[in-house]
Amino acid sequence: MNFFNSISIGFKEIWANKFRSALTMLGIVLGVSSLVAMSALVKGMENGMKEALVAIGGLEKVRVEEQEIPAAQRHLADQAIGLTVRDVYALQRSAPLIKLVTPEMRLGRFATVTRNGKSPDWANVTGTWPTAIEMNQHEIQYGRMFNEIDDEQARNVCVIGTGVRDQLFGTPEKGGKEDVVGEKIHINGQPFRIIGVFRRYESELDRKMREMEKDQPKETGGVQRRRGWGSGRGNNSWVYNMKNNTVYTPLNTMWLKLKSGGVGTNTVPDPRLAAMNIKVADIEVLEPALQQARNVMMHTHRGIEDFSFQTQENWSEGITQAIRNQRMSGGFISAISLLVGGIGIMNIMLASITERIREIGIRKAIGATFENVFIQILVESVVLAALGGILGLAASQGIVQLLTLLSPTENTPIITVPAMLLALGLSACVGVLAGLIPAFKAARLDPIQALRYE
Amino acid sequence: MALVELRNVSKIYHLGGEEIRALDDLSLDIESGEFISIIGPSGSGKSTLMHILGCLDSPTKGTIQLDGTMIHNASSRELARIRNQKIGFVFQFFNLLPRLNVMQNVELPMVYAGAGSRERHERVMAALKLVGLENRSKHRPMQLSGGQQQRVAIARALVNNPRIVFADEPTGNLDSNTGEAILDLFRSLSTQGRTIALVTHDPEIAAVTPRRIEIRDGKIAIKVDPKLAGLDRVSARAVPAVASPY
Ligand SMILES: Nc1ncnc2c1ncn2[C@@H]1O[C@H](COP(=O)(O)OP(=O)(O)OP(=O)(O)O)[C@@H](O)[C@H]1O
Ligand SMILES: [Mg+2]
């Protein structure tokens, strides 16, 4: 008796009891489809996170910020100088594991960016070095980044993100100017020339949606509602949002022109940096590099630890945790469904062999061995489960499409082949496990007693 | 050596402390090519004997040799193989699988024997032709009359070309005309050289077989002279079984 024969017998048996078999398969269908759909969701989340992580500058980037002086050093508070550009130089000089350091000086909450009386909801006005472009993985679309000469001479130049541009000049989709290089804007009342515009940063999904909307423009000209890309779409959208609302000026411009607290005062402007960004050559050496940086800075800060390192790991760990939770709950639901499905199959197989005791007796009377009967029942059980698994795979496609339709703002779920194979393999395993006991019971039947069974 | 040799075979059931001797120290030889009928009243042990001969059941005591194999102590796997290869069994209630068609029913023993589909097809058609049902191969058992179903069962019993065919009241569930036809089929099979042992209630049926054995209370009661049937081709060698201790 060959294997294909057994399978075809299994199929016939299932076909002979279509309705019952379909009901039995339901558990497996649910288990497999939830498993595949959940893993697709998780995969989508992961992809979104990876994209956002790249946009934020990668894991190699670490932010150095000021922090409150530890309690034990509180008495030294008036000697604490905070982060200054001296720290940047010191790190460049003495921390070889650090590839890149950039200073960031901010105007704080009171920065105003205006053009013809218009100003954006918010803009992240930062004074920094030309290397910030590499540090934060910016890309220039129009014009250029300011250079060291611009910085040295503290020129009133700036490079802006598309978020700021759109709010000052109108979105290109609505006829706003796209290339605004050479235009004038005011930052805290001082005139600045735009010399560069960054590319628009957005997730893959947002880009697709934007292009779709561009293809079918809305005719409503009424109130302008910002259903903006990056405003609440997906859980990583703030990353792109922030990046698009960047306004970069040279560090010295920021320090000497904007921080001086108005024209005519003779006091030296506050030299303190809002933060520094450092980048290590390789994520593998993150730990020793941070140690190195800390040693250098403890020296420049005379032993006062008024700074701290913020790695992106905290942020990515949060998301990783969310992903892990999702995976766990998805796995749990699928496992329960598969278990229930398996019990259903075992139940139906037991019922089926009880109905077919006579048939089994006849088969044994004409020469079926223990193995023949055992395999026949087991194959039936596996075919039932695997068929459920295949239907489950089909159902999962539908579920994923439905999910995408219901909430297009989330990361697109991605069905992966390994997830499908795993689900199918699991359903086959469930079939084997569920079939063992019925198969054993059937194979062990005594032919005479089975034939006499009414 | 005879094709089948039973020696002092007993089958004892225990029911609530009571001992039932379905077969009681029975000895019997069947030669190759014989056509033998086993007759006896209800409950005398005919079916029990058939089942033991057909390797479906095992005796409580005694030895059985079938075509060179001692089957009383064979493993269940070995018994399955013997049932498949050496024995054809025909039941009173046909025992066809209702969901399979005629073709599939008849080929089932060959499927378990591991025969290829081409060979199966050829031999199934040959067997169906032998019983006159070659044009019904796609029918379901339920679409056939009782006599036709029994023919299918006989074709199934013959398809693996067994050494011996056992039939337990093969006409018991058929009207007398149909039963007659089935009996004719067995007779023609016998003239083709097949070894057949059939159980019947009906003395008229038993009368047509060259050799006849009567069983009472699990013992062979009467040795019938083969000349009565007018066929001396077959030797009747029923071992004296009346030698009971009382
Ligand atoms: N499984 C069993 N358990 C107990 N007793 C049994 C069993 N099978 C058969 N018997 C007994 O063995 C005896 C012989 O039964 P058997 O079926 O061989 O009779 P039979 O000659 O075929 O009768 P019939 O002509 O009615 O078919 C009977 O008394 C029966 O009750
Ligand atoms: Mg009987």
PDB file of all heavy atoms in Angstrom, chain A residues 20 26 220 357 401 409:
ATOM      1  N   ARG A  20     -18.903  18.104   8.076  1.00  0.00           N
ATOM      2  CA  ARG A  20     -18.263  17.782   9.343  1.00  0.00           C
ATOM      3  C   ARG A  20     -16.784  18.148   9.296  1.00  0.00           C
ATOM      4  O   ARG A  20     -16.239  18.747  10.215  1.00  0.00           O
ATOM      5  CB  ARG A  20     -18.444  16.288   9.600  1.00  0.00           C
ATOM      6  CG  ARG A  20     -18.081  15.862  10.978  1.00  0.00           C
ATOM      7  CD  ARG A  20     -18.542  14.452  11.194  1.00  0.00           C
ATOM      8  NE  ARG A  20     -17.557  13.518  10.664  1.00  0.00           N
ATOM      9  CZ  ARG A  20     -17.670  12.206  10.793  1.00  0.00           C
ATOM     10  NH1 ARG A  20     -18.697  11.682  11.413  1.00  0.00           N
ATOM     11  NH2 ARG A  20     -16.746  11.419  10.306  1.00  0.00           N
ATOM     12  N   LEU A  26     -12.126  24.249  11.191  1.00  0.00           N
ATOM     13  CA  LEU A  26     -12.233  25.653  11.543  1.00  0.00           C
ATOM     14  C   LEU A  26     -11.192  26.083  12.574  1.00  0.00           C
ATOM     15  O   LEU A  26     -10.566  27.136  12.435  1.00  0.00           O
ATOM     16  CB  LEU A  26     -13.639  25.929  12.084  1.00  0.00           C
ATOM     17  CG  LEU A  26     -14.212  27.283  11.711  1.00  0.00           C
ATOM     18  CD1 LEU A  26     -14.222  27.451  10.201  1.00  0.00           C
ATOM     19  CD2 LEU A  26     -15.604  27.434  12.267  1.00  0.00           C
ATOM     20  N   THR A 220     -12.330  69.698  -2.848  1.00  0.00           N
ATOM     21  CA  THR A 220     -12.766  70.593  -1.772  1.00  0.00           C
ATOM     22  C   THR A 220     -11.722  71.671  -1.541  1.00  0.00           C
ATOM     23  O   THR A 220     -10.571  71.388  -1.229  1.00  0.00           O
ATOM     24  CB  THR A 220     -12.974  69.816  -0.467  1.00  0.00           C
ATOM     25  OG1 THR A 220     -11.820  69.009  -0.262  1.00  0.00           O
ATOM     26  CG2 THR A 220     -14.216  68.944  -0.526  1.00  0.00           C
ATOM     27  N   ILE A 357     -15.874   0.999  12.217  1.00  0.00           N
ATOM     28  CA  ILE A 357     -15.283  -0.215  12.782  1.00  0.00           C
ATOM     29  C   ILE A 357     -15.439  -1.379  11.810  1.00  0.00           C
ATOM     30  O   ILE A 357     -14.513  -2.148  11.557  1.00  0.00           O
ATOM     31  CB  ILE A 357     -15.936  -0.533  14.143  1.00  0.00           C
ATOM     32  CG1 ILE A 357     -15.363   0.430  15.188  1.00  0.00           C
ATOM     33  CG2 ILE A 357     -15.656  -1.976  14.559  1.00  0.00           C
ATOM     34  CD1 ILE A 357     -15.839   0.193  16.581  1.00  0.00           C
ATOM     35  N   GLN A 401      -5.423  41.831   4.410  1.00  0.00           N
ATOM     36  CA  GLN A 401      -5.970  42.868   3.537  1.00  0.00           C
ATOM     37  C   GLN A 401      -7.028  43.690   4.269  1.00  0.00           C
ATOM     38  O   GLN A 401      -7.089  44.917   4.136  1.00  0.00           O
ATOM     39  CB  GLN A 401      -6.566  42.228   2.286  1.00  0.00           C
ATOM     40  CG  GLN A 401      -5.651  42.423   1.082  1.00  0.00           C
ATOM     41  CD  GLN A 401      -5.980  41.466  -0.034  1.00  0.00           C
ATOM     42  OE1 GLN A 401      -7.140  41.155  -0.244  1.00  0.00           O
ATOM     43  NE2 GLN A 401      -4.965  41.013  -0.732  1.00  0.00           N
ATOM     44  N   THR A 409      -3.352  53.543   8.433  1.00  0.00           N
ATOM     45  CA  THR A 409      -2.313  54.389   9.019  1.00  0.00           C
ATOM     46  C   THR A 409      -1.231  53.563   9.692  1.00  0.00           C
ATOM     47  O   THR A 409      -0.168  54.058   9.997  1.00  0.00           O
ATOM     48  CB  THR A 409      -2.913  55.327  10.068  1.00  0.00           C
ATOM     49  OG1 THR A 409      -3.542  54.516  11.065  1.00  0.00           O
ATOM     50  CG2 THR A 409      -3.930  56.248   9.456  1.00  0.00           C
TER      51      THR A 409
END
